Amino acid sequence: MPELPEVETVVRTLRPTITGRRVCDFRSLWPRQVSPSVRRVQSALVGRVVREVSRRGKYIVWRLDDGVLLVHLRMSGRMEWAPANAAPSPHVRAIWEFEPAAAGDRDESNLRRLWFCDARKFGRIRWISNLAELDAELGVEPLSDEFTPSYLAALLHARKRALKPLLLDQTLIAGLGNIYVDESLFRAGLHPLARADRVRAAGVQRLCRAVRAVLREAIRRNGTSIDWIYPDGGMQDHLRVYGRGDEPCRVCGAAIVRIVVGQRGTHFCPRCQVG
């Protein structure tokens, strides 16, 4: 599943191509993923101008001149431009049509029809009236000023949960996923099954720094590519534990261990992560 760095990369790519553009049509080829309904989303979108494109957690956020459109890529979602006369490929689930770009600004033939491709059909397209609805569902942004060691300490010490499942809880911290939680815990020297309420102050400091450093590096490298769904990342060549089960730790040489935590494959170094 694309995580915060991959979604941020998509947002930064999409932002200059649709900001200020008017939506002239929306179609869904898989209505189950559209809420509150295809008809409601069509009514809310068509004729509206995209004022801003941003990210909240793992959501791509389009702020319109009235309302907000959310796109969640889930397991296999991706967005790509298609020529105006192109027939949808088998995995296209939704199509946006935009008014032509201003003359000379863009290649209009390639930037008028936007496809939402989703092989596994888990993605979501959702219209809400304002961002407060989404903010009520999601926790703090880990790259925001609010995400401080003191904030993280209060969050951890109030919960008797294992670290990894807690860090994956989107209602507490928005945007972290399997890859970057494993990488952050490794850099912080913390075991994924360590009790959150027992992490000492120094460990909290390390974890806060590690989360921010890992995410910033991954964004700088355009995220992680581990299959054909998200092909353009470079972070996969710099992961220290994720996906490296039985390989030697890059720090101490011990074999990286893979276990399952909360139905998620989890990778850690048994020597470096003892906290």
Side-chain angles (χ1 to χ4, degrees):
M1 177 186 294
E3 302 178 21
L4 187 157
E6 291 76 39
V7 176
E8 181 66 26
T9 300
V10 172
V11 165
R12 293 182 182 190
T13 302
L14 196 60
R15 181 180 291 133
T17 62
I18 69 171
T19 302
R21 308 262 316 266
R22 189 178 304 276
V23 181
C24 57
D25 192 20
F26 170 77
R27 286 177 283 156
S28 171
L29 306 181
W30 188 249
R32 294 181 187 179
Q33 70 184 178
V34 181
S35 62
S37 69
V38 173
R39 179 176 295 181
R40 182 69 184 90
V41 173
Q42 285 174 331
S43 175
L45 283 181
V46 175
R48 300 296 181 186
V49 174
V50 180
R51 297 300 185 189
E52 181 183 351
V53 182
S54 61
R55 178 195 54 75
R56 180 71 170 95
K58 299 178 186 178
Y59 284 93
I60 300 168
V61 179
W62 300 12
R63 294 194 192 212
L64 308 167
D65 47 13
D66 183 23
V68 178
L69 185 74
L70 306 175
V71 180
H72 201 305
L73 303 176
R74 293 287 179 93
M75 293 294 293
S76 61
R78 57 191 176 86
M79 307 185 82
E80 63 181 52
W81 291 100
N85 59 353
S89 65
H91 294 157
V92 174
R93 310 300 177 198
I95 303 170
W96 292 268
E97 302 275 357
F98 291 87
E99 286 188 347
D105 283 354
R106 306 175 181 95
D107 181 352
E108 295 181 13
S109 65
N110 290 327
L111 295 177
R112 292 189 60 182
R113 176 173 292 180
L114 183 64
W115 285 351
F116 181 61
C117 305
D118 186 13
R120 297 171 185 165
K121 301 179 180 178
F122 293 149
R124 293 293 180 265
I125 298 169
R126 174 183 168 196
W127 185 86
I128 58 177
S129 59
N130 59 72
L131 266 182
E133 295 180 41
L134 184 61
D135 288 337
E137 301 171 9
L138 298 177
V140 65
E141 286 285 330
L143 292 178
S144 70
D145 292 341
E146 186 180 354
F147 188 74
T148 62
S150 59
Y151 180 94
L152 182 58
L155 188 153
L156 297 182
H157 294 159
R159 292 163 176 86
K160 297 178 180 180
R161 298 174 60 183
L163 269 178
K164 181 165 184 179
L166 186 152
L167 294 173
L168 289 173
D169 188 337
Q170 299 300 295
T171 68
L172 300 177
I173 303 173
L176 290 180
N178 208 33
I179 297 172
Y180 302 112
V181 167
D182 280 3
E183 292 295 303
S184 297
L185 289 171
F186 172 78
R187 294 196 190 192
L190 296 171
H191 194 285
L193 293 178
R195 275 262 300 264
D197 60 327
R198 295 178 180 173
V199 178
R200 296 181 178 181
V204 174
Q205 292 270 358
R206 295 196 307 270
L207 181 58
C208 187
R209 290 195 301 267
V211 166
R212 295 169 74 92
V214 166
L215 292 177
R216 284 170 175 156
E217 179 182 355
I219 291 171
R220 191 169 66 249
R221 299 187 187 281
N222 297 324
T224 299
S225 294
I226 55 177
D227 56 30
W228 59 271
I229 293 168
Y230 185 84
D232 300 321
M235 186 65 177
Q236 64 276 6
D237 297 326
H238 303 273
L239 299 176
R240 303 184 186 185
V241 288
Y242 183 83
R244 299 189 63 243
D246 296 326
E247 296 182 27
C249 173
R250 303 186 195 278
V251 174
C252 74
I256 300 299
V257 174
R258 182 188 186 277
I259 60 174
V260 177
V261 177
Q263 300 181 323
R264 305 286 188 96
T266 298
H267 303 81
F268 68 96
C269 173
R271 190 177 296 166
C272 293
Q273 294 175 250
V274 295

